[in-house]
Amino acid sequence: MDGTIVMAIILAAFGFFSIWENLNLLFFQFGRPLMTGTVTGILVGDLKTGLAIGATLELAALGVYTYGGASIPDYASGAILGTYFASQASLSPQAAIGLAVPIALLLTQLDILARMANLFFQHRADAYVKSVDLRRVGLMNMLGTLSWGLSRAIPIFFGVWLGSGPVKAAVNESPQWLLDGLQTAGGILPALGIAMLLRLLPLRQYWPFLVVGFIVAAYLKVNLVGVALLGLAMAALVYRYAGGEEAANVAAAAEEEPAAEGRITRRDLRRVFLRYLLWFQSGWNYERMQGLGYAHVISPVMEKLYPDEGVRRQALTTHLQFFNTNPLMAAPILGANIAVEEKNEEPGFPERSVTGLKTGMMGPFAGIGDSFFFAICNTIVFSVGASLALKGSIVGPVIVFLYTIIFFTAFRWWSFVAAYRRGVRLVGQLAGGMLRRLTDAASILGLAVVGGLIPTIINTKVAYVFHSGRVKLNLQDQLDNILPALVPVLIVALVYFALSRRVRPTWAILGLLVLGVVLSVAGILKYPG
């Protein structure tokens, strides 16, 4: 077999593995160009070039992560191809980076297609839940890896096989209006997830808290963690004055009591945690985001806790709904969720309770995880690693690897078990409507965070500028003076209305894609960058 084809297969397989690892395992951080550039340098026998390209791209992409599920340039795959081209064509690292960056931008579009392709597996899982076929539900989540992996493996294979010329030409020949339109559509697609979330929360009852969260984020420019803290304070006040003080005293007393042994064993916890490590985000899609992965991961516990088939079906249906948080912070949410369900002794499954608790935790935890782990810790460690790699030292990537595998893994296991144990003691004393009040408080917290999400993760602006003689009127500036983030609000309202009219989420996604492209081509909307 031709040596080029062999290398194309090897690097394509590495690209496939790297996206799966970055979604789930997070031992090596192969979603970062520093790590993929280093490994590619080793594979092609040119470590120095791999370090230089990976480190340079890493410094350019510091702090760039998929916050809220947004698609970002795929610098990791760009580092793979850039390193290969540099090693084969004797390109300088700077010249190779000039090629790697447009590749990364081009692969952003394939990232969007992969997330959309997983909708097929999501809907197949919905069908299998009706027959309570847990094995096939899990299989659908795992098959989501194919969409992700092939979206990287195929372009890497052809890029290596055909050489740098066709790749460069494909990037250059793609019509700019299409690239801009898809980018604009990608900026408004999170509106679907927010609208679906609002459909799950008691919006009519607690809508003022949604407005408060939006105002704090849009007008006062408070970040998501600040919004979550404000939501937590409001939830605590409502909980307290709704009669939660007495129940809180009961819960506080419970803290001093040893936890009773539950139905969930340590073996069950290890089984859930292993699935979480391997498959949690494989089925990520625009409709339910991490919902399919969550249901797959927690399904062994559902099988054990709910022997009745009808109750188990209802439980899995609940967990298949929209869910999205920082992947590291999903571990304590899973632990607390298991504890709540283990202590549930009601005859029916408490759908609203679990939904409220998950929703109330996922927003704040996402903000904390994104800010602390990605924006702060990763930025510091990767800056050090990249600076060492630029000097030709492999110690930099080694430091990043040790930090990731030790810190990330230890935190996830510790927080998962700790949340489970603490949750057991707390919910074991739930009585007299305390769970309902707690759920209401969690819903308030969730609505406040969702209000903050609207201006934060929906990235679009009005592009139209009115000209008349010497008069120039920027419409976006005028809208900001009236109501900042008005366009994201209108888009969420539009999707919410459509879902209320029983429009299927798949059609809503297609509608948003078409809307984004059309409005971009018409010069009405644009992606702010």
Side-chain angles (χ1 to χ4, degrees):
M1 186 180 294
D2 183 75
T4 303
I5 294 181
V6 172
M7 184 53 67
I9 293 173
I10 292 173
L11 293 183
F14 176 52
F16 191 109
F17 174 76
S18 66
I19 186 63
W20 169 82
E21 194 277 340
N22 185 59
L23 285 168
N24 301 294
L25 202 57
L26 282 173
F27 282 3
F28 307 97
Q29 291 252 10
F30 279 147
R32 305 303 301 177
L34 174 63
M35 307 307 282
T36 53
T38 301
V39 173
T40 305
I42 295 173
L43 291 174
V44 301
D46 191 351
L47 177 60
K48 184 178 178 181
T49 299
L51 288 170
I53 292 175
T56 305
L57 285 174
E58 184 62 53
L59 292 173
L62 277 179
V64 178
Y65 289 90
T66 56
Y67 302 123
S71 291
I72 60 173
D74 185 7
Y75 290 109
S77 298
I80 293 174
L81 286 173
T83 301
Y84 174 76
F85 293 145
S87 66
Q88 299 301 306
S90 300
L91 294 175
S92 67
Q94 290 73 25
I97 288 167
L99 191 58
V101 170
I103 290 172
L105 294 174
L106 181 64
L107 292 182
T108 306
Q109 318 307 326
L110 297 182
D111 184 89
I112 294 173
L113 291 179
R115 293 167 191 250
M116 291 190 63
N118 276 350
L119 285 171
F120 171 79
F121 300 117
Q122 174 75 60
H123 292 162
R124 292 305 305 158
D126 289 342
Y128 289 130
V129 163
K130 293 177 182 175
S131 56
V132 201
D133 191 339
L134 302 186
R135 188 179 65 81
R136 284 194 168 89
V137 169
L139 180 63
M140 292 303 103
N141 180 50
M142 291 188 285
L143 286 176
T145 305
L146 288 176
S147 307
W148 288 104
L150 293 177
S151 71
R152 269 65 175 182
I154 291 175
I156 289 175
F157 174 83
F158 283 103
V160 173
W161 183 32
L162 300 176
S164 61
V167 175
K168 204 169 187 176
V171 174
N172 293 333
E173 293 300 324
S174 296
Q176 192 60 42
W177 64 265
L178 180 60
L179 296 177
D180 291 343
L182 290 174
Q183 198 171 31
T184 302
I188 65 175
L189 277 176
L192 175 61
I194 291 176
M196 294 183 69
L197 197 54
L198 290 175
R199 296 269 298 157
L200 293 174
L201 290 167
L203 180 61
R204 291 187 178 180
Q205 186 178 0
Y206 293 121
W207 65 265
F209 299 98
L210 175 77
V211 176
V212 170
F214 173 80
I215 290 174
V216 170
Y219 283 87
L220 304 180
K221 307 300 180 187
V222 176
N223 63 26
L224 208 54
V225 175
V227 175
L229 290 174
L230 177 62
L232 183 64
M234 293 189 296
L237 284 173
V238 171
Y239 177 80
R240 182 182 181 88
Y241 290 107
E245 185 176 5
E246 181 181 352
N249 293 333
V250 173
E255 294 291 324
E256 301 174 359
E257 300 176 5
E261 185 176 352
R263 289 174 287 172
I264 300 301
T265 65
R266 196 170 182 84
R267 183 174 179 274
D268 296 324
L269 293 178
R270 283 199 297 267
R271 193 176 172 196
V272 170
F273 187 73
L274 182 62
R275 287 192 181 195
Y276 161 68
L277 283 182
L278 296 178
W279 306 111
F280 180 61
Q281 293 200 98
S282 290
W284 202 105
N285 59 78
Y286 278 121
E287 183 177 315
R288 319 272 178 86
M289 296 194 175
Q290 297 165 339
L292 177 55
Y294 197 99
H296 175 209
V297 168
I298 206 169
S299 60
V301 171
M302 299 296 99
E303 193 169 14
K304 187 166 188 176
L305 292 180
Y306 302 109
D308 181 83
E309 190 172 283
V311 176
R312 193 159 67 244
R313 181 187 301 113
Q314 190 177 352
L316 283 171
T317 301
T318 298
H319 287 304
L320 270 175
Q321 300 307 312
F322 178 89
F323 182 80
N324 194 44
T325 191
N326 178 278
L328 300 173
M329 298 300 288
I333 295 176
L334 278 165
N337 189 167
I338 293 171
V340 169
E341 303 213 37
E342 185 182 19
K343 288 298 179 183
N344 170 48
E345 295 180 354
E346 296 179 11
F349 184 74
E351 178 180 355
R352 189 183 163 210
S353 301
V354 172
T355 302
L357 289 172
K358 284 170 59 181
T359 304
M361 295 176 76
M362 71 180 187
F365 277 33
I368 294 170
D370 289 346
S371 302
F372 179 73
F373 289 110
F374 291 168
I376 299 175
C377 296
N378 272 15
T379 298
I380 295 171
V381 176
F382 276 93
S383 298
V384 174
S387 62
L388 291 172
L390 279 176
K391 298 176 182 177
S393 173
I394 198 173
V395 174
V398 171
I399 290 175
V400 171
F401 167 68
L402 293 176
Y403 148 76
T404 300
I405 196 168
I406 295 174
F407 182 46
F408 280 14
T409 307
F411 169 79
R412 284 185 285 180
W413 172 248
W414 170 81
S415 63
F416 173 67
V417 174
Y420 167 72
R421 288 176 176 168
R422 189 174 180 82
V424 168
R425 286 200 296 269
L426 176 62
V427 301
Q429 301 298 322
L430 292 179
M434 180 181 174
L435 181 60
R436 179 172 297 279
R437 289 192 293 273
L438 190 62
T439 302
D440 288 343
S443 298
I444 289 169
L445 172 60
L447 280 168
V449 172
V450 171
L453 284 173
I454 294 173
T456 305
I457 70 170
I458 299 178
N459 292 313
T460 189
K461 283 192 173 183
V462 176
Y464 181 72
V465 178
F466 176 77
H467 292 274
S468 178
R470 295 182 178 180
V471 177
K472 178 181 176 183
L473 185 64
N474 188 312
L475 190 54
Q476 182 62 57
D477 291 342
Q478 300 306 314
L479 291 177
D480 287 342
N481 291 329
I482 303 171
L483 178 61
L486 174 61
V487 176
V489 169
L490 292 177
I491 293 172
V492 170
L494 176 65
V495 179
Y496 182 86
F497 176 78
L499 295 177
S500 301
R501 298 296 178 186
R502 300 185 182 280
V503 173
R504 294 177 64 87
T506 304
W507 287 109
I509 289 178
L510 293 174
L512 285 171
L513 276 175
V514 172
L515 185 69
V517 173
V518 169
L519 293 181
S520 174
V521 172
I524 297 175
L525 287 185
K526 67 177 180 180
Y527 183 75

